[in-house]
Amino acid sequence: METYKRVFVIVLDSLGIGAMPDSEKFGDKGVDTFGHILDKMGTLDIPNLQKLGMLNLHKGGTMEGVENPIGRYMRIGETSNGKDTMTGHWEMMGIYTQKPFITFTETGFPKELIDELEKRCGKRVIGNKSASGTEIIEELGEEEINTGAMIVYTSADSVMQICGNEETFDLANLYRCCEIARELTMKDEWRVGRVIARPYVGKKKGEFKRTSNRHDYALKPTGRTALNALKDAGLDVIGVGKINDIFCGEGITQTYHSDSSVHGMQQTIEICKEDFHGLCFVNLVDFDALWGHRRNPEGYGREIEKFDSGLGTLMNELREDDLLILTADHGNDPTYTGTDHTREYVPFIAYSKKMKETGAIENQDTFAVIGASVAENFGVQMPEGTIGRSILKELQ
């Protein structure tokens, strides 16, 4: 018998809460995304996260926990060998990733890969560095248009992005080149999580604008996940934000594209007002994309405050038989060196109006407790080969 009719899992992308024992192996010493933001800001206006127990779980700055938190909370570690978005989300839903996705942030893509890409696409590559998408179009857009080259760049994520002017490159040709890039980057030594087509319009600097014809060529999960099991059982699996891209559509029954994290929360609140039966899985990416990678702790702190405001509205909309889980997929300490993700523990905070017990629960060593707990709630068997055990009994 189900405990909850609807489960909301919201991923605050990159909100880590301190270094894991193996963090130094990933080049991350003393990292602490949430703690260092609090130390920098002193205090944040986050009354809803406070009452759920976030500050009981992880203090910082001048802020303290509350006496009687209304949520269940613990920290969870990542078992998989990685610190990227796909690895973190896949693990939540039961997949153990042993071979990490590769980033090319510091060096650009290797000559052998670029040479093969140029040969197969029939276009000279320009760029080949880590950059902001809007900035690299401003820098190289005119050259691409005038010479017939193509802009290739990466970021702090495991991604290859290819820009193309819709009028001179042709959208179908851009997609063709991205499909070639996806094929080439299936090799282990070049294996990136996503290839992204980034079309734009305009004829000169100051006029360039990216269009909505972006297309992601993601890797499918390496096995079946909790999402597949839920969908196969006839349950709703609603993805908000990047969830559909992260899972390449696998196990998703309905998807909503978000323009921002604030928009993602607004969409989640509207979904909460509707009747559905199953899981609403949400990724809020701005913490990571706008503030973590750009090493801006103040901007990150303000984004957390915006989230908290939406969280209050969502909590008021939750029904008696709803379960809310807040978590993260990795860290991205905005006070740390470089621009990469950071290997960290992440929060697990659960809330329901029908919960009998509140307060701390035992820490877990894998994100996969999330998918396993959701599956057990709906009486669904996790797919063969997945990891994680359910902690549903702690959430009742």
Side-chain angles (χ1 to χ4, degrees), residues 12 34 44-56 63-66 68-73 265 269 304-318 324 326 349-351:
L12 284 67
F34 184 60
L44 290 173
D45 183 19
I46 49 171
N48 297 298
L49 282 169
Q50 270 187 287
K51 68 184 182 182
L52 285 171
M54 183 66 171
L55 275 299
N56 299 71
M63 302 188 76
E64 296 284 338
V66 296
N68 296 304
I70 62 172
R72 284 293 229 177
Y73 52 85
M265 279 302 287
I269 290 161
I304 297 172
E305 291 180 332
K306 291 178 192 174
F307 166 74
D308 193 88
S309 175
L311 175 61
T313 304
L314 177 63
M315 288 171 66
N316 288 334
E317 291 290 341
L318 289 175
L324 171 66
L326 307 179
I349 299 174
Y351 169 74

Side-chain angles (χ1 to χ4, degrees), residues 67-352:
E67 191 170 340
N68 296 304
I70 62 172
R72 284 293 229 177
Y73 52 85
M74 64 176 174
R75 67 180 188 177
I76 51 178
E78 187 166 15
T79 298
S80 294
N81 184 21
K83 55 176 181 177
D84 62 88
T85 297
M86 288 172 70
T87 299
H89 283 77
W90 288 6
E91 182 168 314
M92 287 177 207
M93 295 298 127
I95 288 183
Y96 169 62
T97 300
Q98 191 166 11
K99 189 170 288 186
F101 296 107
I102 301 173
T103 58
F104 296 93
T105 313
E106 306 300 328
T107 59
F109 297 102
K111 184 178 184 302
E112 298 81 7
L113 171 54
I114 294 299
D115 287 348
E116 188 65 22
L117 187 62
E118 288 180 331
K119 178 183 170 185
R120 296 271 302 272
C121 294
K123 281 183 170 285
R124 181 173 63 92
V125 167
I126 55 176
N128 190 24
K129 60 183 179 180
S130 179
S132 154
T134 51
E135 289 172 4
I136 204 164
I137 292 170
E138 281 297 297
E139 178 191 346
L140 298 175
E142 289 182 3
E143 181 180 351
E144 182 194 68
I145 292 168
N146 293 332
T147 67
M150 70 179 175
I151 301 168
V152 174
Y153 71 104
T154 188
S155 69
D157 278 319
S158 179
V159 63
M160 174 184 276
Q161 308 198 60
I162 302 180
C163 300
N165 187 286
E166 290 197 6
E167 294 163 355
T168 59
F169 196 129
D170 177 57
L171 200 56
N173 196 24
L174 174 62
Y175 292 162
R176 178 188 70 88
C177 292
C178 287
E179 287 166 8
I180 292 168
R182 177 70 280 175
E183 181 188 337
L184 292 174
T185 55
M186 295 299 284
K187 289 181 69 171
D188 276 354
E189 62 267 36
W190 300 337
R191 186 172 179 251
V192 295
R194 283 176 297 157
V195 172
I196 305 176
R198 287 286 198 175
Y200 66 98
V201 292
K203 290 182 170 58
K204 62 183 180 180
K205 282 184 182 179
E207 293 181 355
F208 296 132
K209 289 184 179 176
R210 295 198 290 194
T211 75
S212 59
N213 291 319
R214 163 182 170 160
H215 190 75
D216 289 45
Y217 300 81
L219 290 177
K220 285 189 177 183
T222 52
R224 286 170 51 78
T225 72
L227 303 183
N228 298 108
L230 294 169
K231 181 180 178 180
D232 290 352
L235 293 154
D236 296 311
V237 183
I238 302 169
V240 177
K242 281 172 43 176
I243 296 298
N244 192 65
D245 288 342
I246 291 165
F247 289 89
C248 212
E250 291 287 305
I252 307 294
T253 62
Q254 194 172 358
T255 184
Y256 292 82
H257 168 76
S258 304
D259 296 327
S260 67
S261 289
V262 169
H263 182 221
M265 279 302 287
Q266 291 169 345
Q267 290 171 308
T268 306
I269 290 161
E270 290 306 308
I271 292 166
C272 188
K273 294 175 182 177
E274 300 169 4
D275 284 326
F276 73 91
H277 182 205
L279 172 66
C280 177
F281 196 6
V282 182
N283 173 274
L284 304 177
V285 75
D286 286 354
F287 305 99
D288 187 53
L290 297 185
W291 315 116
H293 288 308
R294 297 180 185 180
R295 295 303 187 245
N296 185 334
E298 291 86 0
Y300 203 133
R302 298 292 170 238
E303 194 71 49
I304 297 172
E305 291 180 332
K306 291 178 192 174
F307 166 74
D308 193 88
S309 175
L311 175 61
T313 304
L314 177 63
M315 288 171 66
N316 288 334
E317 291 290 341
L318 289 175
R319 300 172 185 175
E320 192 75 20
D321 54 358
D322 288 343
L323 173 66
L324 171 66
I325 296 172
L326 307 179
T327 191
D329 52 343
H330 50 72
N332 199 346
D333 188 338
T335 69
Y336 201 57
T337 56
T339 60
D340 199 0
H341 297 148
T342 45
R343 174 83 167 177
E344 298 184 46
Y345 288 108
V346 302
F348 175 100
I349 299 174
Y351 169 74
S352 174

